[in-house]
Amino acid sequence: MENKSEGCVKLVGFWVSPFVNRVRWALKLKGIEYEYIEEDIFNRTSLLSELNPVYGKVPVLVHNGKPLPESFIILEYIDEIWDHNPLLPFDPYERAQVRFWAKFSEEKLLGSAWLALCSEGEKQERAVKLSIEALEKIEQILKGKIFFGGDKIGYLDLIIGFISYMLPAWEDVASVKILDPLKFPAIAAWTDNFMNHEVIKGEYLPSKAEMIRYFRWRREELIPVFASYQL
Amino acid sequence: MENKSEGCVKLVGFWVSPFVNRVRWALKLKGIEYEYIEEDIFNRTSLLSELNPVYGKVPVLVHNGKPLPESFIILEYIDEIWDHNPLLPFDPYERAQVRFWAKFSEEKLLGSAWLALCSEGEKQERAVKLSIEALEKIEQILKGKIFFGGDKIGYLDLIIGFISYMLPAWEDVASVKILDPLKFPAIAAWTDNFMNHEVIKGEYLPSKAEMIRYFRWRREELIPVFASYQL
């Protein structure tokens, strides 16, 4: 799809990447038409090493031939290029707060929950504990709100969105409980709001069965890799 | 200092933090008057837990009573509030590139060089190798330029600035060589340009002797902590 305002937009992704979904959602929220290119990251072509030579990872947004990796950075770029339906708030202090919590959730929640998926025993217990501590802080900032920024979905919702559909699969695969809805009522209500938002509802998501099959395999592969990693 | 345009600006820092220096430099580049508050992070008051309850770390910028932690986020905030002498380029794709390399250098260069300082033996060798690989990429993007953005000092210069004055102290303390000027002529020229910039030259920096004394102590303290950390 090419037109004057949008230019040529492509997204290189992988079906089960939570980082890719953030970009899909952002493009959909902005109403941007794009070509989606699925790249099998375990059997890759040369595409990713050409478009993202530093990391070789998805997602990569390609806008008018110029490649851009890293979901956080892509979302800021999308918001700067297409400024309707803003993802970040207008006020600089609020923007800074959103960036702060995005970084926090990436490091403390996604990082710990991923380790809980890919570990066993005491290490897993510690990773679950750290994930829950991160959720406690997120519960506080979400209390009384429909979305993180208020009434409208935005940047932080997209960054944290993975907990609404992917975290339950991780919990099942790893036989742990991280997001207890009784303990985190604001987050539980938000996951409903998020999943029922028309843009999120209308976008591709892998089924829970597909995710469970995939992450069961990843867990087995990564347990020995993470075994030497100290929390 | 209070006036209508600046409001009340305070910076909570620690004398040898490379993260704090980025903010000092940014405020100086913008010509913003501020009150500097030194916090002894090893014998701390309640100030940091009040201003940065999530991480308890420096730097914290306090603007009109509102606290903001994290140097990357503070620099973006400063650039949005005071838009003269811009730190980030105007073009969204160039901005995204700057953010990409800032994140890269934080994770791959600062992270690896810090580990090289705080480790021994094979682990240290590996950390040195990773630091050098990061510098190789940075050398490529710097070639033929005075500063990262061209003629004017900007965001990426401030983020990577620590290698011009602090990395040599780390190398001395750890008895390693990371930044070989013969191997990295563009970076070597840039460190001169950076250190001779009137704003950087005019700002407080700890002496090499002070840094060596401090980082020698940190190295001894942290070697056992990082011993279990796998690269």
Side-chain angles (χ1 to χ4, degrees), chain B residues 34-50:
Chain B
Y34 65 98
E35 179 191 346
Y36 177 77
I37 301 163
E38 173 77 7
E39 177 75 1
D40 180 354
I41 59 173
F42 298 100
N43 190 14
R44 53 181 71 194
T45 65
S46 60
L47 189 65
L48 278 178
S49 52
E50 281 162 28

Side-chain angles (χ1 to χ4, degrees), chain B residues 106-124:
Chain B
E106 196 78 347
E107 291 170 359
K108 302 294 179 184
L109 177 58
L110 193 145
S112 304
W114 179 247
L115 188 58
L117 172 68
C118 301
S119 61
E120 300 173 303
E122 272 181 36
K123 181 170 293 177
Q124 192 183 51

Side-chain angles (χ1 to χ4, degrees), chain A residues 52-55 66-70 73 76-77 80-81 91-93 95-97 99-101 103-104 107-108 137 228-230, chain B residues 52-55 66-70 73 76-77 80-81 91-93 95-97 99-101 103-104 107-108 137 228-230:
Chain A
N52 185 5
V54 174
Y55 293 107
K66 290 187 287 187
L68 185 61
E70 298 288 321
I73 296 172
E76 294 245 7
Y77 176 80
E80 290 177 6
I81 291 283
D91 175 74
Y93 189 73
R95 291 164 75 86
Q97 294 291 101
R99 290 180 179 130
F100 175 85
W101 287 109
K103 184 171 186 282
F104 171 84
E107 291 171 358
K108 302 293 179 186
K137 294 209 162 56
S228 56
Y229 182 88
Q230 197 74 12
Chain B
N52 185 4
V54 174
Y55 293 107
K66 290 188 288 188
L68 185 61
E70 297 290 318
I73 297 172
E76 295 245 6
Y77 176 79
E80 290 177 7
I81 291 283
D91 176 74
Y93 189 73
R95 292 164 75 86
Q97 294 291 103
R99 289 178 179 132
F100 175 84
W101 287 108
K103 184 171 185 283
F104 170 84
E107 291 170 359
K108 302 294 179 184
K137 295 210 162 55
S228 57
Y229 182 86
Q230 197 76 11

Side-chain angles (χ1 to χ4, degrees), chain A residues 1-3 6-12 34-35 37 47 50-53 60-69 77 81-82, chain B residues 93 97:
Chain A
M1 161 88 199
E2 275 194 60
N3 69 39
E6 293 179 6
C8 172
V9 182
K10 297 177 185 179
L11 172 63
V12 183
Y34 66 98
E35 179 190 345
I37 301 164
L47 189 65
E50 282 162 28
L51 295 177
N52 185 5
V60 180
L61 186 81
V62 187
H63 185 208
N64 294 330
K66 290 187 287 187
L68 185 61
Y77 176 80
I81 291 283
W82 299 286
Chain B
Y93 189 73
Q97 294 291 103

Side-chain angles (χ1 to χ4, degrees), chain B residues 74-87:
Chain B
I74 295 172
L75 258 56
E76 295 245 6
Y77 176 79
I78 288 174
D79 211 29
E80 290 177 7
I81 291 283
W82 298 286
D83 57 6
H84 59 285
N85 301 346
L87 300 175

